[in-house]
Amino acid sequence: MKILSIREQVFFCIICCLSMGTLSAIAQQNTNSSASAPYAGATVVDFEKKVQLQLPGQGSSAPSPRQVLPPDSVINTGDGSILLQLEDGSNIWVQPHTHLILKQPSPTNWQRLELLLGRIKTEIQKRISGSPPFQIGTPSAVISVRGTRFFVEVDKHKVTEVDVEEGEVQLENIKGIGAPILIKAGSSSRVGEKSAPEPAQPTQELQRQLQKSSSGNNGGNGQGKGQGQGPANQSHPQPHSPPVPRGNGHR
């Protein structure tokens, strides 16, 4: 009886250890799944004129209202514009002459959008403490926010400009050149592929400098803004007045 009791205790200990290991593995798996959980695609709220979409593995097509766009969808607005809404309620206004790719975030890269050319306005919902930031990638920058309203523009020289309307935005060079900077509401900054982010300055002051540089170098055609270090559209609207699609997809 005593030997049987010892055997029972040993068997019980083995079962407990195996159970704890299994539970630990499940917990770890759940944690990893949560960290790498896929985001829902962006939804088309409205669009105007001829916007072209290219969904993964498909050819070009026109958008339709309430259409869900999966990650890796490519958007080319041409002379049109499109309003997208993300699963958390954040809004993205994609303005004319813009090339944008929807991205799939991962635990090592939280970029949601890749802006290759053109201009967008974003209204990002606030992130709770401990959650990853919302990130946008461009050819020259990584932009990180936790809830704010701002513009991002990339010109043909791959220079990125960020104009912050509300909240704060962190801007850093995509190659890690220089130190990241924090841009507060009412301020702007720019960064090129091979340069550190410029010190933030009032948005109106930056726009005056760009207009003066453009007029002095190329007659206002947008080709000579600080040796290509400016936004794509010289006469773009000020951050408080973005063009919003109002065509219900029928114009």
Side-chain angles (χ1 to χ4, degrees):
M1 293 295 294
K2 184 175 181 180
I3 294 176
L4 181 61
S5 176
I6 293 175
R7 287 179 177 177
E8 289 177 348
Q9 291 179 15
V10 172
F11 179 76
F12 179 74
C13 290
I14 293 174
I15 293 299
C16 288
C17 290
L18 291 175
S19 299
M20 292 177 64
T22 302
L23 291 175
S24 177
I26 293 174
Q28 182 66 29
Q29 182 178 2
N30 290 338
T31 301
N32 292 339
S33 299
S34 176
S36 59
Y39 287 82
T43 300
V44 176
V45 176
D46 196 6
F47 61 93
E48 187 175 46
K49 299 183 179 179
K50 292 184 178 180
V51 175
Q52 289 294 313
L53 304 177
Q54 186 171 359
L55 276 59
Q58 302 182 27
S60 296
S61 62
S64 58
R66 310 310 305 171
Q67 180 180 5
V68 176
L69 308 181
D72 296 324
S73 296
V74 180
I75 301 171
N76 282 294
T77 55
D79 61 353
S81 56
I82 187 169
L83 173 60
L84 306 174
Q85 187 171 74
L86 306 182
E87 83 288 343
D88 64 352
S90 298
N91 293 316
I92 311 294
W93 284 271
V94 188
Q95 300 185 16
H97 309 293
T98 295
H99 185 190
L100 178 75
I101 303 176
L102 303 180
K103 303 298 289 184
Q104 173 64 61
S106 70
T108 58
N109 186 346
W110 291 101
Q111 291 184 20
R112 295 291 308 274
L113 307 170
E114 185 176 7
L115 177 62
L116 299 177
L117 180 69
R119 184 172 174 86
I120 61 174
K121 180 186 178 181
T122 67
E123 289 186 352
I124 306 303
Q125 296 292 328
K126 290 184 177 180
R127 264 47 183 167
I128 61 174
S129 178
S131 62
F134 183 99
Q135 289 188 337
I136 298 174
T138 78
S140 55
V142 176
I143 299 146
S144 304
V145 301
R146 287 191 172 276
T148 182
R149 188 166 63 243
F150 62 101
F151 288 81
V152 181
E153 186 162 0
V154 178
D155 71 6
K156 68 177 185 178
H157 303 282
K158 300 182 181 181
V159 173
T160 300
E161 177 183 331
V162 177
D163 306 319
V164 180
E165 190 176 71
E166 181 180 290
E168 296 180 342
V169 174
Q170 178 177 291
L171 176 65
E172 59 184 299
N173 178 280
I174 195 167
K175 299 177 182 178
I177 301 174
I181 66 167
L182 195 63
I183 311 172
K184 297 185 178 182
S187 297
S188 301
S189 179
R190 299 179 300 166
V191 61
E193 281 189 294
K194 300 179 181 180
S195 61
E198 298 177 359
Q201 60 179 306
T203 298
Q204 293 184 351
E205 178 61 28
L206 176 60
Q207 297 309 318
R208 281 196 294 267
Q209 293 178 13
L210 295 177
Q211 291 170 4
K212 182 178 179 180
S213 176
S214 177
S215 299
N217 289 318
N218 287 280
N221 64 4
Q223 300 295 318
K225 292 178 289 184
Q227 298 179 352
Q229 304 245 347
N233 299 320
Q234 176 57 34
S235 59
H236 63 67
Q238 292 298 319
H240 59 275
S241 57
V244 178
R246 298 186 184 277
N248 296 316
H250 299 300
R251 286 193 284 173

